[in-house]
Structures are given as C-alpha cells and as structure tokens.
Amino acid sequence: MSTDQNFETGLQGSSNKVAEFDNHDASFLKRFQHALHVTPSLVPLIVLLISLIIFGVLLGSKFFSPFALTLILQQVAIVGIVGAAQSVVILTAGIDLSVGAIMVLSSVVMGQFTFRYGLPPELAVACGLACGAICGFINGWLIAVMKLPPFIVTLGMWQIILATNFLYSANETIRSQDIANQAPLLQLFGEKIKVGGAVFTYGVIFLVLLVLMLAYVLRHTAWGRHVYAVGDDPEAAELSGVNVKRILISVYMLAGVICAFAGWALIGRIGSVSPTSGQLANIESITAVVIGGISLFGGRGSIMGMFFGALIVGVFTLGLRLLGADAQWTFLLIGALIIGAVAVDQWIRKVSV
C-alpha cells in the first residue's frame, strides 16, 4: 500500500473516531436533557447543593451550624407556603398575582374577628381560611367560566383585595403583646421547637408537611394528574373527559386556602397582624416557582422543585449576609438565576420523549 493510501486510511479512521466521540457526547447530552425533563426538580437540587458547598467553604462552621441551616428554613417558610399555592396555579398554565394580598387579608380577618368582634380565636382562624377560599373561588370562576386571562383577573383581584384590606382594617396593626395575652393561637406557627442546636417553628413543620402532601396528591391522585393535563393541553384534557372548569376552580380555591394558612403563619412569624406586611410575597413566590423548575407554560414541574427554589433564595440571602456583602448582590444573583432557570426550561422542553 502506498504512502498516500496509508495516510487516507489513517485519516478516515481518525474521522470515524471523532464521529464516534461526537455521537457519544451527543447521546450523553440527550440522556442528561431527558433526565432533567423527567425530573424537573433535579436542576434546582443541583444548584442548591452547589450553593451550599460554596458558602460552606467560604464560611465554614459559621454557615453549616444547625442554627444557621434551620434559620434558612424559618426565613423561607412564608415564601414556601405561598409558593406552594402559586405552584398549583402555574401547573395549570395560569398565574396568581393576588396570592400575597389574599395572605394578608386572611391574616387581617383572623385578627379583626378576634379583637373587633370578640370571636373565639379558633372560629376567627376558620373565618380567615374561608376568606382565602372565597377569594380563590372568585379568581377561579372568572378564569374558568368567564374565560378571562389569569394574569388580568388576578392583577385586578390583587388591587381589589389590597384596597379591601386597608379599608377594612383602617390600616391599624394589632400588637404582638395583645395577641400573646388574648389570642396566642394566632401566633401558633411562630412557636419554636429546639432540637439540639437546631431551631424549628411550627410554620416550618407545616411547610414541609404541605410540600409532601401536595407532592403526593399531584403525582398519585386523579385530581393531580388532571391538573397536569389541564396545564399541558386543556383542549385535549377536555376531550379525554376532564372537567377543566371544575379543575381550574378547585386549583384557585386551594391556592386561596393555602394563602390563608400563609397569613396565619405570617402572624406567627412577625408576631402581629399588620395590613402592610407581605408586600413582596407575589414576586417572591413566583421567584421560588421559576427557580424551582416549574414551567411557566404549565404541565411540567414539581412542588419539591419549588421547595428547593425557595431554599436557594434563603441560602443566597443568609450566605451573602454572613459574608457582609451588599444586599443588592442578592437581588442580582437571584435575578440571574431566574433568567437561567427559564433558559434551562426552554432547553429541557425541546427534548423528544
């Protein structure tokens, strides 16, 4: 064989090897993409673990102490509960901009019914939960029956509920001392349980139980599968026998009830009933949902992902604070995470199942 033929043969062999290497890389990338598609919570879990490692290396035992880690849970408890409400809505390809307002109004109803009307705290709490359910029902009915866009409906309800909140409460705050003396039940979610150096609150315990319950319901019940079906393709879901209107109304009602529980937890967190609290709950809940890998287009994602997303925000907030960094760095990094999460979601949606 001539020298030229040997060279050509070697070149072809080399080309085949490069092609095999490229195919191997492509197949690995496809498998990774498919894994993320099947398990959307994997992305926020990876980000959470990396951020824990980075801050652990930078801060050492100061960050990895039981007190610091449970403090993160305490700080994200309210965001996580409201995020759970936002999650079930976004899974149906909707959005609820009124979650924060419903949370605050429900807390105000609990406080006012106890101190203005003299109702037993147990009954006042029930009225607050009913208030959240009613607000959610109105949202769901306008969206499912009247066919109005979720963004417009909940934006309008946000303004209406916010105004109702200030008019009804006369912008008055019920003090922490009065609640502790006369209605300690309202501060239940703020009570602490110490386990060694770790400090848990009933609000944190409620958040964990809520996430686990919703994760089970969404994955292992007919209602949960219908929620995903409506978010993925409502017309196809309707043709397959799913009552789309009923599912949407039930989802928004459930979100309203969860927000009311968040209002109860908010009283325990801050100790008082304040009509001006929770102003950023809308944005914070959407942030946790998006970073948590739940698709804004509906039909894909998990409550566990939202929980990881909320923890990521808590880790960055506490870690940067312990490092002495300017608070604006937190917003900068979280903003970058939001854009990155949406970009990853778009990439994952391209996978062929």
Side-chain angles (χ1 to χ4, degrees), residues 1-58:
M1 184 181 292
S2 65
T3 305
D4 291 339
Q5 289 175 330
N6 287 334
F7 176 76
E8 289 176 2
T9 303
L11 185 60
Q12 290 173 356
S14 176
S15 299
N16 290 335
K17 289 179 181 178
V18 171
E20 290 174 5
F21 181 77
D22 289 342
N23 288 335
H24 176 73
D25 276 359
S27 63
F28 171 77
L29 194 62
K30 282 291 184 183
R31 288 198 301 270
F32 182 65
Q33 187 182 19
H34 183 75
L36 296 181
H37 181 87
V38 175
T39 314
S41 60
L42 195 58
V43 175
L45 178 59
I46 292 171
V47 175
L48 176 61
L49 293 175
I50 292 174
S51 59
L52 284 171
I53 292 171
I54 291 173
F55 284 115
V57 171
L58 294 175

Side-chain angles (χ1 to χ4, degrees), residues 139-310:
N139 280 335
W141 186 82
L142 290 172
I143 292 166
V145 179
M146 300 300 293
K147 304 294 184 181
L148 299 178
F151 183 89
I152 301 301
V153 169
T154 57
L155 178 63
M157 283 296 291
W158 170 52
Q159 298 283 358
I160 292 170
I161 296 171
L162 199 63
T164 302
N165 170 39
F166 285 115
L167 290 171
Y168 176 66
S169 66
N171 205 16
E172 295 179 353
T173 298
I174 301 175
R175 297 183 305 167
S176 175
Q177 185 177 358
D178 294 335
I179 297 175
N181 291 335
Q182 301 179 43
L185 177 66
L186 297 183
Q187 296 178 338
L188 173 67
F189 284 102
E191 294 184 11
K192 298 179 179 179
I193 302 173
K194 294 184 178 181
V195 181
V199 180
F200 299 94
T201 63
Y202 284 113
V204 169
I205 296 172
F206 176 79
L207 168 61
V208 173
L209 293 177
L210 176 66
V211 168
L212 293 176
M213 181 195 73
L214 286 176
Y216 176 82
V217 169
L218 287 169
R219 288 296 181 185
H220 300 287
T221 66
W223 181 85
R225 289 189 291 272
H226 291 169
V227 168
Y228 279 98
V230 170
D232 189 49
D233 190 338
E235 293 180 359
E238 188 83 50
L239 291 173
S240 63
V242 176
N243 191 327
V244 174
K245 291 181 180 179
R246 184 180 299 173
I247 291 296
L248 287 174
I249 291 175
S250 67
V251 162
Y252 281 91
M253 282 189 69
L254 175 62
V257 173
I258 294 173
C259 288
F261 273 106
W264 189 5
L266 182 64
I267 299 175
R269 175 66 179 165
I270 65 177
S272 60
V273 177
S274 173
T276 60
S277 58
Q279 297 294 326
L280 298 176
N282 296 342
I283 302 300
E284 291 174 341
S285 67
I286 296 173
T287 299
V289 168
V290 173
I291 295 177
I294 296 179
S295 176
L296 292 175
F297 300 97
R300 197 182 64 80
S302 70
I303 293 293
M304 289 303 299
M306 180 283 303
F307 182 59
F308 295 146

